[in-house]
């Protein structure tokens, strides 16, 4: 199959699980934001931010290491997979034991002394997800995208169903009659913690479905391969941690950086996190692309036209990202109804977060230079510079501008990483990226958004009519320019 068609089809299938599936999960936002005050929703945002950091550590960067060594001529794929699975199994069992031992003092340190169970539930979610990541990596490497998508969808469906069951059914039943069957399943002391319970049960269901893949990894451990895997993958942990700093430190730190009391800070965090969800379409598209793109980039690297294909991929990736940016930002008033009225004060940050997401996606494309040349330490350096920028800007801007400063810190960080990664890529793995075309589409998309804002706010035109017209115009421009180029390229290959 044509490589571009294969990448597109794989991205589409992964998109069923990550984009469509998690979009359904995104529909839980109205349930949570209409059911709980911003302060309670802020607790969920805070703990999931902590989990984002730990998720990177607990996979040890071995997903990328698995792809790298699986495609080498030195090691059998089964040996690589077995070594990865057993490393993750031992490491995460030790983590679970440690979390159980320190749950109470850690909960007190995080200013949630009344809920040490949150620590244990989140740790169990992290451990099951880390182990499942190995099985999912194997499915991706074998291009079994349909099974990957099916299991992901089942996990997401279970998570959604259980959350709706506990919060949408058991809670109202308790309020009407605490002694009813459904009412007895609701404990007001747990409250928003049922979000974690639903997630944990769904993660365990996923792990059960992945059991056939995990059983295959219980043999074949090799010590020398383990050492090489760790040497290659350890910088990926640094890169991942720096990436999480850039992506999630704002939600972990807002409670401590905002100049108010803890309750107000958590409420502000809840508002920001709910509005952050409105940029989720961009994040999910990037995630789907990453699932398909990483194994594709490694597998296609030996082809004669690899670098030209990578450049074309970036062009179309940016076009898709600009389209998503326009869909959400032009119809932001409609998207705003997905969050409760108390949360809509933060809608102004959504376009900024969408642009930041676009830049992150471009960085994901550009990062092939250090993955394909084994210069992961240099890649870690880029991520660390981005993390330093994020920390500095959050420390500076959040106390002054609140969560708006956090959104702009994202944008500046990713812009800096894109520029630095592009310059390093030109030296170590030159790809003929069409920089003018990429920047032109970014500027074009932002210009169309500003035009839409002017027409609706200054001229009083209908936001829906303006948005639909602008989107149609954007699609027409893309079809008249890059559409023909893509058809010619596809015909040649």
């Amino acid at each position: 199959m044509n490589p571009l068609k294969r990448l597109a089809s794989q991205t589409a299938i992964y998109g069923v699980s990550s984009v469509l599936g998690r979009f359904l999960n995104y529909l839980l936002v109205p349930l949570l934001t209409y059911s709980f005050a911003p302060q309670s929703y802020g607790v969920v945002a805070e703990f999931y931010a902590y989990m984002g950091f730990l998720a990177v550590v607990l996979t040890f960067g071995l997903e990328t290491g698995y792809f790298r060594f699986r495609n080498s001529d030195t090691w059998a794929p089964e040996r690589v997979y077995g070594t990865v699975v057993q490393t993750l199994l031992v490491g995460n069992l030790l983590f679970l034991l440690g979390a159980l031992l320190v749950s109470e003092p850690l909960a007190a340190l995080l200013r949630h002394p009344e809920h040490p169970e949150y620590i244990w539930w989140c740790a169990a979610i992290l451990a099951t997800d880390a182990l499942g990541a190995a099985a999912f990596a194997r499915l991706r490497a074998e291009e079994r995208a349909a099974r990957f998508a099916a299991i992901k969808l089942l996990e997401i469906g279970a998570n959604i169903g259980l959350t709706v069951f506990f919060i949408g059914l058991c809670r109202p039943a308790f309020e009407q009659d605490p002694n009813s069957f459904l009412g007895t399943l609701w404990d007001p002391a747990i409250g928003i913690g049922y979000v974690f319970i639903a997630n944990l049960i769904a993660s365990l269901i996923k792990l059960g479905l992945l059991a056939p893949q995990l059983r295959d990894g219980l043999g074949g451990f090799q010590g020398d391969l383990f050492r090489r895997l760790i040497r290659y993958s350890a910088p990926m942990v640094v890169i991942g941690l720096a990436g999480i700093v850039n992506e999630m430190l704002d939600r972990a730190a807002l409670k401590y950086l905002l100049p108010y009391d803890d309750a107000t800070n958590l409420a502000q965090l809840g508002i920001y996190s709910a509005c952050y969800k409105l940029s989720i379409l961009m994040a999910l598209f990037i995630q789907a692309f990453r699932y398909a793109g990483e194994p594709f980039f490694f597998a296609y690297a030996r082809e004669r036209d690899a670098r030209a294909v990578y450049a074309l991929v970036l062009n179309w990736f940016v076009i898709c990202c600009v389209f998503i940016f326009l869909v959400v930002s032009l119809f932001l008033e409609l998207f705003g109804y997905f969050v409760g009225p108390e949360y809509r004060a933060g809608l102004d940050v959504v376009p900024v977060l969408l642009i930041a997401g676009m830049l992150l996606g471009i960085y994901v494309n550009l990062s092939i230079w250090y993955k394909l040349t084994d210069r992961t330490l240099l890649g870690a350096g880029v991520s660390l510079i981005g993390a330093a920028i994020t920390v500095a800007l959050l420390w500076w801007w959040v106390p002054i501008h609140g969560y708006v400063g956090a959104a702009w810190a994202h944008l500046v960080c990713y812009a800096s990483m894109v520029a630095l990664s592009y310059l390093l890529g030109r030296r170590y793995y030159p790809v003929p990226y069409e920089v003018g075309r990429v920047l032109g589409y970014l500027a074009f998309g932002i210009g169309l958004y500003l035009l839409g804002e002017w027409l609706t706010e200054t001229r009083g035109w209908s936001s829906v009519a303006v948005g639909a017209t602008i989107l149609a115009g954007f699609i027409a421009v893309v079809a008249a320019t890059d559409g023909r180029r893509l058809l010619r390229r596809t015909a040649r290959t």
Side-chain angles (χ1 to χ4, degrees):
M1 180 187 289
N2 175 278
L4 293 175
K5 290 181 180 177
R6 186 170 74 248
L7 177 59
S9 65
Q10 294 285 306
T11 300
I13 297 174
Y14 288 123
V16 170
S17 60
S18 61
V19 177
L20 176 59
R22 285 187 61 187
F23 180 76
L24 295 174
N25 197 16
Y26 160 73
L27 296 180
L28 289 175
V29 174
L31 174 65
L32 298 178
T33 58
Y34 281 87
S35 300
F36 295 98
Q39 181 181 346
S40 295
Y41 190 74
V43 173
V44 172
E46 178 188 0
F47 273 89
Y48 275 104
Y50 300 147
M51 291 167 68
F53 286 90
L54 289 170
V56 173
V57 176
L58 293 174
T59 55
F60 310 129
L62 289 174
E63 285 180 280
T64 303
Y66 169 67
F67 291 128
R68 174 66 180 85
F69 285 89
R70 186 184 188 278
N71 287 288
S72 72
D73 298 326
T74 307
W75 310 99
E78 295 78 12
R79 294 275 187 180
V80 178
Y81 181 64
T83 304
V84 167
V85 169
Q86 291 169 70
T87 301
L88 289 173
L89 179 61
V90 173
N92 281 276
L93 286 175
L94 292 174
F95 166 73
L96 268 179
L97 178 62
L100 181 62
L101 294 174
V102 304
S103 59
E104 291 192 8
L106 184 56
L109 180 65
L110 297 176
R111 305 178 190 174
H112 298 287
E114 69 279 9
H115 290 296
E117 69 276 9
Y118 288 0
I119 304 296
W120 169 245
W121 293 338
C122 291
I125 293 168
L126 286 164
T128 54
D129 287 352
L131 193 57
F136 278 133
R138 182 177 183 182
L139 291 176
R140 290 162 59 194
E142 295 174 352
E143 297 189 1
R144 298 175 65 185
R147 178 169 172 78
F148 180 105
I151 294 175
K152 280 285 187 181
L153 282 174
L154 286 171
E155 177 195 13
I156 292 164
N159 192 9
I160 294 170
L162 289 166
T163 304
V164 172
F165 174 74
F166 287 125
I167 296 174
L169 296 178
C170 295
R171 183 187 183 191
F174 175 85
E175 292 171 350
Q176 292 179 4
D177 181 8
N179 296 318
S180 65
F181 172 72
L182 291 178
T184 59
L185 299 177
W186 177 264
D187 183 353
I190 295 176
I192 197 72
Y194 280 99
V195 173
F196 304 130
I197 294 175
N199 192 338
L200 175 56
I201 296 172
S203 294
L204 291 172
I205 292 172
K206 172 190 66 182
L207 207 61
L209 293 171
L210 290 170
Q213 280 72 40
L214 293 172
R215 278 197 300 268
D216 292 342
L218 296 180
F221 182 89
Q222 211 162 334
D224 53 343
L225 173 59
F226 166 77
R227 289 187 288 272
R228 293 195 63 179
L229 269 168
I230 293 298
R231 279 198 301 270
Y232 177 87
S233 300
M236 303 304 297
V237 177
V238 177
I239 293 169
L241 280 174
I244 291 295
V245 166
N246 300 332
E247 184 178 349
M248 302 193 74
L249 181 62
D250 51 356
R251 278 154 286 169
L254 276 176
K255 186 175 81 170
Y256 306 99
L257 293 177
L258 288 167
Y260 313 110
D261 59 87
D262 281 353
T264 305
N265 288 354
L266 276 174
Q268 292 287 294
L269 171 58
I271 292 171
Y272 177 68
S273 299
C275 291
Y276 201 104
K277 291 286 188 180
L278 297 179
S279 66
I280 199 72
L281 289 179
M282 186 73 73
L284 294 181
F285 172 69
I286 294 169
Q287 181 185 24
F289 177 84
R290 182 180 283 167
Y291 280 147
E294 190 168 40
F296 169 80
F297 288 139
F298 279 111
Y300 202 73
R302 297 179 182 178
E303 300 295 329
R304 187 179 57 183
D305 63 340
R307 302 187 192 208
V309 169
Y310 297 160
L312 188 59
V313 166
L314 179 61
N315 285 354
W316 278 95
F317 178 85
V318 170
I319 289 169
C320 292
C321 284
V322 172
F323 178 78
I324 293 171
F325 165 73
L326 291 173
V327 167
V328 178
S329 59
L330 291 173
F331 299 98
L332 188 55
E333 183 179 344
L334 298 178
F335 278 92
Y337 287 105
F338 279 90
V339 299
E342 294 179 87
Y343 296 81
R344 294 172 196 161
L347 289 178
D348 288 344
V349 302
V350 175
V352 179
L353 292 171
L354 288 167
I355 296 171
M358 275 197 280
L359 294 172
L360 172 61
I362 293 172
Y363 172 73
V364 168
N365 275 267
L366 297 179
S367 66
I368 60 172
W369 67 267
Y370 68 78
K371 294 178 181 178
L372 295 179
T373 62
D374 292 349
R375 289 183 169 86
T376 52
L377 284 174
L378 277 176
V382 175
S383 295
L384 287 172
I385 290 172
I389 293 171
T390 297
V391 171
L393 293 180
L394 288 175
W395 189 273
W396 177 16
W397 286 346
V398 168
I400 301 172
H401 305 290
Y403 52 72
V404 175
W408 279 98
H410 273 295
L411 192 150
V412 173
C413 162
Y414 291 137
S416 303
M417 291 174 63
V418 165
L420 186 55
S421 187
Y422 172 72
L423 293 174
L424 289 170
R426 288 185 62 185
R427 177 175 179 181
Y428 294 108
Y429 191 82
V431 174
Y433 295 118
E434 297 181 82
V435 177
R437 189 174 291 268
V438 169
L439 293 177
Y441 270 115
L442 287 173
F444 184 45
I446 294 171
L448 289 176
Y449 161 68
L450 294 175
L451 174 63
E453 286 286 288
W454 179 76
L455 290 174
T456 55
E457 294 185 4
T458 304
R459 309 296 295 179
W461 293 12
S462 165
S463 60
V464 174
V466 168
T469 303
I470 288 177
L471 279 177
F474 176 76
I475 293 171
V477 170
V478 171
T481 55
D482 280 81
R484 295 176 181 176
R485 297 173 71 232
L486 180 64
L487 289 174
R488 288 197 297 269
R489 169 77 195 188
T490 304
R492 287 199 303 269
T493 54

